[in-house]
Amino acid sequence: EAEQAFTGGDVEAAAAAYRKAIETAKEHRFINEQALASECAALFYLEYGDIGRTCKYLEKSRDLYQAWGAHRKVEDIRSLLVTVQ
């Protein structure tokens, strides 16, 4: 839903859908899905030039990937954070 809204240019619907995806994954304790949704949200905000929110969601996804044990993804996100900041 979030990706469809994003590619369709509906910024408000995309932002709301990313938040919903993150919250739903959190409620069900799907750390991997929460990490992925946070990463996608970060890329969405990066596309629209919102560096503050981009960094917030990248940091969140990094921490979630770390908790999940996806160490390579943690390194990828750290590299992206350096580039964005």
Side-chain angles (χ1 to χ4, degrees):
E1 189 177 325
E3 294 294 307
Q4 286 179 327
F6 178 23
T7 58
D10 190 343
V11 177
E12 289 180 28
Y18 284 119
R19 285 191 303 273
K20 181 181 175 187
I22 292 165
E23 282 303 312
T24 300
K26 183 177 181 179
E27 287 172 14
H28 295 282
R29 297 184 182 115
F30 295 146
I31 294 174
N32 58 324
E33 296 294 330
Q34 191 181 356
L36 180 59
S38 296
E39 181 181 3
C40 289
L43 297 176
F44 161 74
Y45 284 113
L46 181 60
E47 180 72 22
Y48 287 98
D50 189 335
I51 302 303
R53 284 193 176 124
T54 297
C55 291
K56 171 188 162 186
Y57 282 104
L58 283 175
E59 290 166 356
K60 186 176 194 174
S61 69
R62 178 201 58 207
D63 295 345
L64 289 162
Y65 281 129
Q66 182 72 44
W68 188 43
H71 304 294
R72 181 66 190 141
K73 283 299 291 182
V74 171
E75 293 305 316
D76 289 345
I77 299 296
R78 282 185 181 148
S79 295
L80 185 53
L81 268 166
V82 168
T83 303
V84 170
Q85 294 174 335

Coordinates of all heavy atoms in Angstrom, one line a residue:
E1 N 0.8 -1.2 0.0 CA 0.0 0.0 0.0 C 0.9 1.3 0.0 O 0.6 2.2 -0.8 CB -0.9 0.0 1.2 CG -2.0 1.0 1.2 CD -2.9 0.9 2.4 OE1 -3.2 -0.2 2.9 OE2 -3.3 2.0 2.9
A2 N 1.9 1.3 0.9 CA 2.8 2.4 0.9 C 3.5 2.6 -0.4 O 3.6 3.8 -0.9 CB 3.7 2.3 2.1
E3 N 4.0 1.5 -0.9 CA 4.8 1.6 -2.1 C 4.0 2.1 -3.3 O 4.4 2.8 -4.2 CB 5.5 0.3 -2.4 CG 6.6 -0.1 -1.4 CD 7.8 0.8 -1.4 OE1 8.4 1.0 -2.5 OE2 8.1 1.3 -0.4
Q4 N 2.7 1.6 -3.4 CA 1.8 2.0 -4.4 C 1.5 3.5 -4.3 O 1.5 4.2 -5.3 CB 0.5 1.2 -4.4 CG 0.6 -0.2 -4.9 CD -0.7 -0.9 -4.8 OE1 -1.5 -0.7 -3.9 NE2 -0.9 -1.8 -5.7
A5 N 1.3 4.0 -3.1 CA 1.0 5.4 -2.9 C 2.3 6.2 -3.3 O 2.2 7.3 -3.9 CB 0.6 5.7 -1.5
F6 N 3.4 5.7 -2.9 CA 4.7 6.4 -3.2 C 4.9 6.5 -4.7 O 5.1 7.6 -5.2 CB 5.8 5.6 -2.5 CG 7.2 6.2 -2.7 CD1 7.5 7.5 -3.1 CD2 8.3 5.3 -2.6 CE1 8.8 8.0 -3.3 CE2 9.6 5.8 -2.8 CZ 9.8 7.1 -3.1
T7 N 4.8 5.4 -5.4 CA 5.0 5.5 -6.8 C 3.9 6.2 -7.6 O 4.1 6.8 -8.6 CB 5.2 4.0 -7.4 OG1 4.0 3.3 -7.1 CG2 6.4 3.3 -6.9
G8 N 2.7 6.3 -6.9 CA 1.7 7.1 -7.5 C 1.7 8.6 -7.2 O 0.9 9.3 -7.7
G9 N 2.7 9.0 -6.4 CA 2.9 10.4 -6.0 C 2.0 10.9 -4.9 O 1.9 12.1 -4.7
D10 N 1.3 10.0 -4.2 CA 0.4 10.4 -3.1 C 1.2 10.4 -1.8 O 1.3 9.4 -1.1 CB -0.8 9.5 -3.0 CG -1.9 10.0 -2.1 OD1 -1.6 10.9 -1.2 OD2 -3.0 9.5 -2.1
V11 N 1.9 11.6 -1.6 CA 2.8 11.7 -0.5 C 2.2 11.4 0.9 O 2.7 10.7 1.7 CB 3.5 13.1 -0.5 CG1 4.4 13.2 0.7 CG2 4.2 13.3 -1.8
E12 N 1.0 12.0 1.1 CA 0.4 11.9 2.4 C -0.1 10.4 2.7 O 0.1 9.9 3.8 CB -0.8 12.8 2.5 CG -0.4 14.3 2.7 CD -1.6 15.2 2.8 OE1 -2.7 14.8 3.3 OE2 -1.5 16.4 2.4
A13 N -0.6 9.8 1.7 CA -1.1 8.4 1.8 C 0.1 7.5 2.0 O 0.1 6.5 2.8 CB -1.9 8.0 0.6
A14 N 1.2 7.7 1.3 CA 2.4 6.9 1.4 C 3.0 7.0 2.9 O 3.3 6.0 3.5 CB 3.5 7.3 0.4
A15 N 3.1 8.3 3.4 CA 3.6 8.5 4.7 C 2.8 7.7 5.7 O 3.3 7.1 6.6 CB 3.7 10.0 5.0
A16 N 1.5 7.9 5.6 CA 0.6 7.2 6.6 C 0.7 5.7 6.5 O 0.7 5.0 7.5 CB -0.9 7.6 6.3
A17 N 0.8 5.2 5.2 CA 0.9 3.7 5.1 C 2.2 3.2 5.6 O 2.3 2.1 6.1 CB 0.7 3.4 3.6
Y18 N 3.3 3.9 5.4 CA 4.6 3.5 6.0 C 4.5 3.4 7.5 O 4.9 2.4 8.2 CB 5.7 4.4 5.6 CG 6.2 4.2 4.2 CD1 6.2 5.2 3.3 CD2 6.7 3.0 3.8 CE1 6.6 5.0 2.0 CE2 7.2 2.7 2.5 CZ 7.1 3.8 1.6 OH 7.5 3.6 0.3
R19 N 3.9 4.5 8.1 CA 3.7 4.5 9.6 C 2.9 3.3 10.0 O 3.2 2.6 11.0 CB 3.1 5.8 10.1 CG 4.0 6.9 10.1 CD 3.4 8.1 10.8 NE 2.2 8.6 10.2 CZ 2.0 9.5 9.2 NH1 3.1 10.0 8.7 NH2 0.8 9.8 8.8
K20 N 1.8 3.0 9.3 CA 0.9 1.9 9.6 C 1.7 0.5 9.5 O 1.5 -0.3 10.4 CB -0.3 1.9 8.7 CG -1.3 0.8 9.0 CD -2.5 0.8 8.1 CE -3.4 -0.4 8.3 NZ -4.4 -0.5 7.3
A21 N 2.4 0.4 8.5 CA 3.2 -0.9 8.3 C 4.2 -1.1 9.4 O 4.3 -2.2 9.9 CB 3.9 -0.8 6.9
I22 N 4.9 0.0 9.8 CA 5.8 -0.1 10.9 C 5.1 -0.5 12.2 O 5.6 -1.4 13.0 CB 6.6 1.2 11.1 CG1 7.5 1.4 9.9 CG2 7.4 1.2 12.4 CD1 8.1 2.8 9.7
E23 N 4.0 0.2 12.5 CA 3.3 -0.1 13.7 C 2.7 -1.5 13.8 O 2.7 -2.2 14.8 CB 2.1 1.0 13.9 CG 2.7 2.3 14.5 CD 3.4 2.1 15.8 OE1 2.9 1.5 16.7 OE2 4.5 2.7 15.9
T24 N 2.2 -1.9 12.6 CA 1.6 -3.3 12.6 C 2.7 -4.3 12.8 O 2.5 -5.3 13.5 CB 0.9 -3.5 11.2 OG1 -0.2 -2.6 11.1 CG2 0.3 -4.9 11.1
A25 N 3.8 -4.1 12.2 CA 4.9 -5.1 12.4 C 5.4 -5.1 13.8 O 5.7 -6.1 14.4 CB 6.1 -4.7 11.4
K26 N 5.4 -3.9 14.4 CA 5.8 -3.8 15.8 C 4.8 -4.5 16.7 O 5.2 -5.3 17.6 CB 5.9 -2.3 16.2 CG 6.4 -2.1 17.6 CD 6.5 -0.6 18.0 CE 7.0 -0.4 19.4 NZ 7.2 1.0 19.7
E27 N 3.5 -4.3 16.5 CA 2.5 -4.9 17.3 C 2.6 -6.5 17.3 O 2.3 -7.1 18.3 CB 1.1 -4.5 16.8 CG 0.7 -3.1 17.1 CD -0.6 -2.7 16.4 OE1 -1.3 -3.6 15.9 OE2 -0.9 -1.5 16.4
H28 N 3.0 -7.0 16.1 CA 3.0 -8.4 15.9 C 4.5 -9.0 16.2 O 4.7 -10.2 16.0 CB 2.6 -8.8 14.5 CG 1.1 -8.6 14.3 ND1 0.1 -9.4 14.8 CD2 0.5 -7.6 13.7 CE1 -1.1 -8.9 14.5 NE2 -0.9 -7.8 13.8
R29 N 5.3 -8.1 16.6 CA 6.7 -8.4 17.0 C 7.5 -9.1 15.8 O 8.3 -10.0 16.0 CB 6.8 -9.4 18.2 CG 6.2 -8.7 19.4 CD 6.4 -9.6 20.6 NE 5.8 -9.0 21.8 CZ 4.7 -9.5 22.4 NH1 4.2 -10.6 22.0 NH2 4.3 -8.9 23.5
F30 N 7.2 -8.5 14.6 CA 8.0 -8.9 13.4 C 9.1 -7.9 13.2 O 9.0 -7.0 12.4 CB 7.1 -9.0 12.2 CG 6.0 -10.0 12.2 CD1 4.8 -9.8 11.6 CD2 6.2 -11.2 12.9 CE1 3.7 -10.7 11.7 CE2 5.1 -12.2 12.9 CZ 3.9 -11.9 12.3
I31 N 10.2 -8.2 13.9 CA 11.3 -7.2 13.8 C 11.8 -7.0 12.4 O 12.1 -5.9 12.0 CB 12.5 -7.7 14.8 CG1 12.0 -7.6 16.2 CG2 13.7 -6.8 14.6 CD1 13.0 -8.2 17.2
N32 N 11.9 -8.1 11.7 CA 12.5 -8.0 10.3 C 11.6 -7.1 9.4 O 12.0 -6.3 8.6 CB 12.7 -9.4 9.7 CG 11.4 -10.2 9.7 OD1 10.6 -10.2 10.6 ND2 11.3 -11.0 8.6
E33 N 10.2 -7.3 9.6 CA 9.3 -6.5 8.8 C 9.3 -5.0 9.2 O 9.2 -4.1 8.4 CB 7.9 -7.1 8.9 CG 7.7 -8.5 8.3 CD 7.9 -8.5 6.8 OE1 7.6 -7.5 6.1 OE2 8.4 -9.5 6.3
Q34 N 9.5 -4.8 10.5 CA 9.6 -3.5 11.0 C 10.8 -2.8 10.5 O 10.8 -1.6 10.1 CB 9.5 -3.5 12.6 CG 9.3 -2.2 13.2 CD 9.4 -2.2 14.7 OE1 9.4 -3.3 15.3 NE2 9.3 -1.1 15.3
A35 N 11.9 -3.5 10.5 CA 13.2 -3.0 10.0 C 13.0 -2.6 8.5 O 13.4 -1.5 8.0 CB 14.3 -4.0 10.1
L36 N 12.4 -3.5 7.7 CA 12.3 -3.3 6.3 C 11.3 -2.1 6.0 O 11.6 -1.2 5.2 CB 11.8 -4.5 5.6 CG 11.5 -4.4 4.1 CD1 12.8 -4.1 3.4 CD2 10.9 -5.7 3.6
A37 N 10.2 -2.0 6.7 CA 9.3 -0.9 6.6 C 10.0 0.4 6.9 O 9.7 1.4 6.3 CB 8.0 -1.2 7.4
S38 N 10.8 0.4 8.0 CA 11.5 1.6 8.4 C 12.5 2.0 7.3 O 12.6 3.2 7.0 CB 12.2 1.4 9.7 OG 11.3 1.2 10.7
E39 N 13.2 1.1 6.8 CA 14.1 1.4 5.7 C 13.4 1.9 4.5 O 13.9 2.9 3.9 CB 14.9 0.1 5.3 CG 15.9 0.3 4.2 CD 16.7 -0.9 3.8 OE1 16.3 -2.0 4.4 OE2 17.6 -0.8 3.0
C40 N 12.3 1.4 4.1 CA 11.5 1.9 3.0 C 11.0 3.3 3.2 O 11.0 4.1 2.3 CB 10.4 0.9 2.6 SG 10.9 -0.6 1.9
A41 N 10.6 3.5 4.5 CA 10.1 4.9 4.8 C 11.3 5.9 4.7 O 11.1 7.0 4.2 CB 9.5 4.9 6.2
A42 N 12.4 5.5 5.1 CA 13.6 6.3 5.0 C 13.9 6.7 3.6 O 14.1 7.9 3.2 CB 14.8 5.7 5.6
L43 N 13.8 5.7 2.7 CA 14.1 6.0 1.3 C 13.0 6.9 0.7 O 13.3 7.7 -0.2 CB 14.2 4.7 0.5 CG 15.4 3.8 0.9 CD1 15.3 2.5 0.2 CD2 16.7 4.5 0.8
F44 N 11.8 6.7 1.1 CA 10.7 7.6 0.7 C 11.0 9.0 1.1 O 10.9 9.9 0.3 CB 9.4 7.1 1.4 CG 8.3 8.1 1.4 CD1 7.6 8.4 0.2 CD2 7.9 8.7 2.6 CE1 6.5 9.3 0.3 CE2 6.9 9.6 2.6 CZ 6.2 10.0 1.5
Y45 N 11.3 9.2 2.4 CA 11.6 10.6 2.8 C 12.9 11.2 2.1 O 12.9 12.4 1.9 CB 11.7 10.6 4.3 CG 10.4 10.6 5.0 CD1 10.0 9.5 5.8 CD2 9.5 11.6 4.9 CE1 8.8 9.4 6.4 CE2 8.2 11.5 5.5 CZ 7.9 10.4 6.2 OH 6.7 10.4 6.8
L46 N 13.8 10.3 1.8 CA 15.0 10.8 1.1 C 14.6 11.3 -0.3 O 15.1 12.3 -0.7 CB 16.0 9.6 1.0 CG 17.3 10.0 0.3 CD1 18.1 11.1 1.0 CD2 18.2 8.7 0.2
E47 N 13.7 10.6 -0.9 CA 13.3 11.0 -2.3 C 12.6 12.4 -2.2 O 12.8 13.2 -3.2 CB 12.3 10.0 -2.8 CG 11.7 10.3 -4.1 CD 12.7 10.1 -5.3 OE1 13.7 9.3 -5.1 OE2 12.5 10.7 -6.3
Y48 N 12.0 12.7 -1.1 CA 11.3 14.0 -1.0 C 12.2 15.0 -0.3 O 11.7 16.1 0.1 CB 9.9 13.8 -0.3 CG 9.0 13.2 -1.3 CD1 8.7 11.8 -1.3 CD2 8.4 14.0 -2.3 CE1 7.9 11.3 -2.2 CE2 7.5 13.4 -3.2 CZ 7.3 12.0 -3.2 OH 6.4 11.5 -4.1
G49 N 13.4 14.7 0.0 CA 14.4 15.7 0.6 C 14.2 16.0 2.1 O 14.8 16.9 2.5
D50 N 13.5 15.1 2.8 CA 13.4 15.3 4.2 C 14.5 14.5 4.9 O 14.3 13.4 5.3 CB 12.0 14.8 4.7 CG 11.7 15.2 6.1 OD1 12.6 15.4 6.9 OD2 10.5 15.3 6.4
I51 N 15.6 15.2 5.1 CA 16.8 14.5 5.6 C 16.6 14.1 7.1 O 17.1 13.1 7.5 CB 18.1 15.4 5.5 CG1 18.3 15.7 4.0 CG2 19.3 14.7 6.1 CD1 18.4 14.5 3.1
G52 N 15.9 14.9 7.8 CA 15.7 14.6 9.3 C 14.9 13.3 9.4 O 15.3 12.5 10.2
R53 N 13.8 13.2 8.7 CA 13.0 12.0 8.8 C 13.8 10.8 8.2 O 13.7 9.7 8.6 CB 11.7 12.1 8.2 CG 10.7 12.9 9.0 CD 9.3 12.8 8.5 NE 8.4 13.5 9.4 CZ 7.6 14.5 9.1 NH1 7.5 14.9 7.8 NH2 6.8 15.1 9.9
T54 N 14.5 11.1 7.1 CA 15.3 10.0 6.5 C 16.3 9.4 7.5 O 16.3 8.2 7.7 CB 16.1 10.5 5.3 OG1 15.2 11.0 4.3 CG2 17.1 9.5 4.7
C55 N 17.0 10.2 8.2 CA 18.0 9.8 9.2 C 17.2 9.1 10.4 O 17.7 8.0 10.9 CB 18.8 10.9 9.8 SG 19.9 11.6 8.5
K56 N 16.1 9.6 10.8 CA 15.3 9.0 11.9 C 15.0 7.5 11.5 O 15.2 6.6 12.3 CB 14.1 9.8 12.2 CG 13.1 9.1 13.1 CD 11.8 9.9 13.2 CE 10.7 9.1 13.7 NZ 9.4 9.7 13.7
Y57 N 14.4 7.3 10.4 CA 14.0 6.0 9.9 C 15.2 5.1 9.6 O 15.1 3.9 9.8 CB 13.0 6.1 8.8 CG 11.6 6.5 9.2 CD1 11.1 7.8 9.0 CD2 10.8 5.6 9.9 CE1 9.9 8.1 9.5 CE2 9.5 5.9 10.3 CZ 9.1 7.2 10.1 OH 7.8 7.6 10.6
L58 N 16.3 5.7 9.1 CA 17.5 4.8 8.9 C 18.0 4.3 10.2 O 18.4 3.2 10.3 CB 18.5 5.6 8.1 CG 18.3 5.8 6.6 CD1 19.4 6.7 6.0 CD2 18.2 4.4 5.9
E59 N 18.1 5.2 11.2 CA 18.6 4.8 12.5 C 17.7 3.8 13.1 O 18.2 2.8 13.7 CB 18.7 6.0 13.4 CG 19.8 7.0 13.0 CD 19.8 8.3 13.6 OE1 18.8 8.6 14.4 OE2 20.7 9.1 13.3
K60 N 16.4 3.9 13.0 CA 15.5 2.9 13.5 C 15.7 1.6 12.8 O 15.7 0.6 13.5 CB 14.0 3.5 13.3 CG 13.0 2.6 13.9 CD 11.6 3.3 13.7 CE 10.5 2.7 14.5 NZ 9.3 3.5 14.4
S61 N 15.8 1.6 11.5 CA 16.0 0.4 10.7 C 17.3 -0.3 11.1 O 17.4 -1.5 11.3 CB 15.8 0.6 9.2 OG 16.9 1.3 8.7
R62 N 18.3 0.5 11.3 CA 19.7 0.0 11.7 C 19.6 -0.8 13.0 O 20.0 -1.9 13.1 CB 20.7 1.1 11.8 CG 22.1 0.7 12.2 CD 22.8 1.8 12.8 NE 22.1 2.4 13.9 CZ 22.3 3.7 14.3 NH1 23.0 4.5 13.6 NH2 21.6 4.2 15.3
D63 N 18.9 -0.1 14.0 CA 18.8 -0.7 15.3 C 17.9 -2.0 15.2 O 18.3 -3.0 15.9 CB 18.1 0.2 16.3 CG 19.0 1.5 16.5 OD1 20.2 1.4 16.2 OD2 18.5 2.5 17.1
L64 N 16.9 -2.0 14.4 CA 16.0 -3.2 14.3 C 16.8 -4.3 13.6 O 16.7 -5.5 14.0 CB 14.8 -2.9 13.6 CG 13.8 -2.0 14.4 CD1 12.8 -1.3 13.4 CD2 13.1 -2.8 15.4
Y65 N 17.5 -4.0 12.5 CA 18.3 -5.0 11.8 C 19.3 -5.6 12.8 O 19.6 -6.8 12.8 CB 19.0 -4.5 10.6 CG 18.1 -4.3 9.4 CD1 18.0 -3.1 8.7 CD2 17.3 -5.4 8.9 CE1 17.2 -3.0 7.5 CE2 16.5 -5.3 7.8 CZ 16.5 -4.1 7.1 OH 15.7 -3.9 6.0
Q66 N 19.9 -4.7 13.6 CA 20.9 -5.2 14.6 C 20.3 -6.2 15.6 O 20.8 -7.3 15.9 CB 21.5 -4.0 15.4 CG 22.6 -4.4 16.4 CD 23.9 -4.8 15.7 OE1 24.3 -4.2 14.8 NE2 24.5 -5.9 16.2
A67 N 19.1 -5.8 16.1 CA 18.4 -6.7 17.0 C 18.0 -8.0 16.3 O 18.0 -9.1 17.0 CB 17.1 -6.0 17.5
W68 N 17.8 -8.0 15.1 CA 17.4 -9.2 14.3 C 18.6 -10.1 14.0 O 18.5 -11.2 13.7 CB 16.6 -8.8 13.1 CG 16.0 -9.9 12.3 CD1 15.3 -11.0 12.8 CD2 16.0 -10.0 10.9 NE1 14.9 -11.8 11.7 CE2 15.3 -11.2 10.5 CE3 16.5 -9.3 9.8 CZ2 15.1 -11.6 9.2 CZ3 16.3 -9.7 8.5 CH2 15.6 -10.9 8.2
G69 N 19.8 -9.4 14.0 CA 21.0 -10.2 13.7 C 21.4 -10.1 12.2 O 22.3 -10.8 11.8
A70 N 20.9 -9.1 11.5 CA 21.2 -8.9 10.1 C 22.4 -8.0 10.0 O 22.2 -6.8 9.6 CB 20.0 -8.4 9.3
H71 N 23.6 -8.4 10.3 CA 24.7 -7.6 10.4 C 25.1 -6.9 9.1 O 25.6 -5.8 9.1 CB 25.9 -8.4 11.0 CG 25.6 -9.0 12.3 ND1 25.3 -8.2 13.5 CD2 25.4 -10.3 12.7 CE1 25.0 -9.0 14.5 NE2 25.0 -10.3 14.1
R72 N 25.0 -7.6 8.0 CA 25.3 -7.0 6.7 C 24.4 -5.8 6.4 O 24.8 -4.8 5.9 CB 25.2 -8.0 5.6 CG 25.6 -7.5 4.2 CD 27.1 -7.1 4.2 NE 27.3 -6.3 3.0 CZ 28.1 -5.3 2.9 NH1 28.7 -4.8 3.9 NH2 28.2 -4.7 1.7
K73 N 23.1 -5.9 6.7 CA 22.2 -4.8 6.5 C 22.5 -3.7 7.4 O 22.4 -2.5 7.0 CB 20.7 -5.3 6.8 CG 20.1 -6.1 5.7 CD 20.0 -5.3 4.4 CE 19.0 -4.2 4.4 NZ 18.9 -3.5 3.1
V74 N 23.0 -4.0 8.7 CA 23.4 -2.9 9.6 C 24.5 -2.1 8.9 O 24.5 -0.9 8.9 CB 23.8 -3.5 10.9 CG1 24.5 -2.4 11.8 CG2 22.7 -4.1 11.7
E75 N 25.5 -2.8 8.3 CA 26.6 -2.1 7.7 C 26.1 -1.3 6.5 O 26.5 -0.1 6.2 CB 27.7 -3.1 7.2 CG 28.4 -3.7 8.4 CD 29.0 -2.7 9.3 OE1 29.6 -1.7 8.9 OE2 28.8 -2.9 10.5
D76 N 25.2 -1.8 5.7 CA 24.6 -1.1 4.6 C 23.9 0.2 5.0 O 24.1 1.3 4.4 CB 23.6 -1.9 3.8 CG 24.2 -3.1 3.0 OD1 25.4 -3.1 2.8 OD2 23.5 -4.0 2.6
I77 N 23.1 0.1 6.1 CA 22.4 1.3 6.6 C 23.4 2.3 7.2 O 23.2 3.5 6.9 CB 21.4 0.8 7.7 CG1 20.3 -0.1 7.1 CG2 20.7 2.1 8.3 CD1 19.4 0.5 6.0
R78 N 24.4 1.8 7.9 CA 25.4 2.8 8.4 C 26.1 3.5 7.2 O 26.3 4.8 7.3 CB 26.5 2.0 9.2 CG 26.0 1.6 10.5 CD 27.2 1.0 11.3 NE 26.7 0.6 12.7 CZ 27.1 -0.4 13.3 NH1 28.0 -1.2 12.9 NH2 26.6 -0.7 14.5
S79 N 26.4 2.8 6.1 CA 27.0 3.5 5.0 C 26.1 4.5 4.4 O 26.5 5.6 4.0 CB 27.4 2.5 3.9 OG 28.4 1.6 4.4
L80 N 24.8 4.2 4.3 CA 23.8 5.1 3.8 C 23.6 6.3 4.7 O 23.5 7.5 4.2 CB 22.5 4.4 3.6 CG 21.4 5.2 2.9 CD1 21.8 5.7 1.5 CD2 20.1 4.3 2.7
L81 N 23.7 6.1 6.0 CA 23.6 7.2 6.9 C 24.7 8.2 6.7 O 24.5 9.4 6.8 CB 23.5 6.7 8.4 CG 22.2 6.4 9.0 CD1 22.3 5.6 10.2 CD2 21.5 7.8 9.3
V82 N 25.9 7.7 6.6 CA 27.1 8.5 6.4 C 26.9 9.4 5.1 O 27.2 10.6 5.1 CB 28.4 7.7 6.3 CG1 29.5 8.5 5.8 CG2 28.7 7.1 7.6
T83 N 26.4 8.8 4.1 CA 26.2 9.5 2.8 C 25.1 10.6 2.9 O 25.3 11.7 2.4 CB 25.7 8.5 1.7 OG1 26.7 7.5 1.6 CG2 25.5 9.1 0.4
V84 N 24.0 10.2 3.6 CA 22.9 11.2 3.8 C 23.2 12.3 4.7 O 22.9 13.5 4.4 CB 21.7 10.4 4.3 CG1 20.6 11.4 4.7 CG2 21.2 9.4 3.3
Q85 N 23.9 12.0 5.8 CA 24.3 13.1 6.7 C 25.3 14.0 6.2 O 25.6 15.0 6.2 CB 24.7 12.5 8.1 CG 23.6 11.8 8.8 CD 24.0 11.1 10.0 OE1 25.2 10.7 10.2 NE2 23.1 10.8 10.9

